[in-house]
Amino acid sequence: MKPLAMVGRWVLPSAGIVFGLTALTVGLLNTAAIAPVKAQETLSRVLTVTGEGSESIPATLARVQLGVTAQGEDAETVQQEIARRSSAVIELLRSQPIDKLQTTGIRLNPRYNYDGSRPRIVGYTGSNTVSFQISTDEVGTLLDDAIATGANEISSVSFVAADEALDSARDTALQEATADAQAQADVVLRSLNLSSQEIVSIQVNNAIPPTPIPYAARARQLETAAAVSTPVEGGAQTVNARVTLQIRYRESAV
């Protein structure tokens, strides 16, 4: 006769209790072991692809920084000369179809002679610099006119596309990058007899506006007006974009 186990008011075979608990424990362990495997399998079935796109647009605007420099024996004389010539240049600029005109620098510094035991002031150097933006088609003529009016220093000239054109180019580059990423994924999955289920992640590397194109004759100082009109070519800018997709996939049905 099998030994009996007393539980409260019930009398049960002890072997049955052990068997039931063992089966329950094994079942729980099996379920717990299967769950992480399925989760890991789901996470591992993700393809990551990165697409690239680019769009070139003409640089139709010139950003110019020019000014007046002068030297003299005393500060007042130098400052008055700069003010006189700068006023004439600014008056010319205001009569032209330019944008974003602003003063970018005013400078007045002593010049020293270092011969002898102590340096001594022998004169002053000053400048007044302005910046503005104008169409590339008109910048060459304006530079010549500004020099003839009194400007004798061109600090920098660079070329950029209009804001509206940059926005449009960015959108086009992003569309191309997205299509490129999707095409790459389709080729890979089709080659492995797999099919995409859904896009689980999208990462967009922002299409950054390109760096302005510098003018070849940058930072040159001019004392006299040019004999002929200054030729200017704006060139083109390229907007680049990247898009990364993570796509969950499965085996294709046979």
Side-chain angles (χ1 to χ4, degrees):
M1 181 177 179
K2 295 182 179 179
L4 301 178
M6 181 69 68
V7 181
R9 296 174 54 191
W10 299 92
V11 178
L12 300 172
S14 58
I17 295 174
V18 173
F19 176 78
L21 291 176
T22 301
L24 179 60
T25 302
V26 172
L28 291 175
L29 289 175
N30 287 340
T31 302
I34 292 172
V37 172
K38 288 185 176 181
Q40 184 177 5
E41 182 181 358
T42 299
L43 291 175
S44 64
R45 287 180 172 270
V46 172
L47 173 66
T48 301
V49 290
T50 298
E52 297 184 352
S54 64
E55 183 71 8
S56 294
I57 49 176
T60 57
L61 297 175
R63 292 176 179 172
V64 181
Q65 184 168 299
L66 57 77
V68 173
T69 63
Q71 293 183 355
E73 294 182 357
D74 61 87
E76 184 179 359
T77 300
V78 171
Q79 187 62 29
Q80 288 178 354
E81 176 67 10
I82 292 174
R84 181 185 64 81
R85 293 166 62 181
S86 296
S87 297
V89 172
I90 292 176
E91 183 178 355
L92 167 69
L93 294 177
R94 286 176 175 169
S95 69
Q96 302 298 313
I98 66 172
D99 294 317
K100 302 179 180 179
L101 175 63
Q102 64 177 2
T103 298
T104 55
I106 297 176
R107 183 172 57 89
L108 180 64
N109 297 321
R111 291 184 294 113
Y112 292 92
N113 186 335
Y114 292 94
D115 295 338
S117 59
R118 291 191 307 173
R120 60 187 180 87
I121 297 176
V122 295
Y124 290 85
T125 300
S127 66
N128 188 342
T129 306
V130 297
S131 66
F132 58 91
Q133 188 168 277
I134 189 172
S135 168
T136 55
D137 295 336
E138 300 174 346
V139 65
T141 301
L142 180 56
L143 289 177
D144 296 337
D145 293 342
I147 294 167
T149 303
N152 60 354
E153 183 178 45
I154 298 177
S155 301
S156 67
V157 179
S158 59
F159 304 99
V160 295
D163 291 341
E164 298 80 3
L166 285 173
D167 291 341
S168 178
R170 179 201 58 199
D171 294 345
T172 301
L174 286 172
Q175 291 173 359
E176 292 177 356
T178 303
D180 181 36
Q182 187 67 66
Q184 291 182 57
D186 292 343
V187 170
V188 171
L189 294 177
R190 188 166 56 249
S191 300
L192 297 174
N193 195 32
L194 301 170
S195 59
S196 62
Q197 286 184 293
E198 60 179 340
I199 297 175
V200 297
S201 174
I202 302 173
Q203 180 179 350
V204 177
N205 297 327
N206 291 330
I208 301 175
T211 303
I213 305 169
Y215 185 43
R218 184 185 180 198
R220 57 175 177 163
Q221 185 166 335
L222 306 173
E223 296 296 341
T224 58
V228 295
S229 178
T230 302
V232 174
E233 293 293 335
Q237 289 184 292
T238 301
V239 178
N240 299 307
R242 300 179 67 196
V243 173
T244 300
L245 303 179
Q246 287 189 319
I247 303 174
R248 182 173 289 119
Y249 62 87
R250 64 167 184 262
E251 293 183 3
S252 298
V254 181

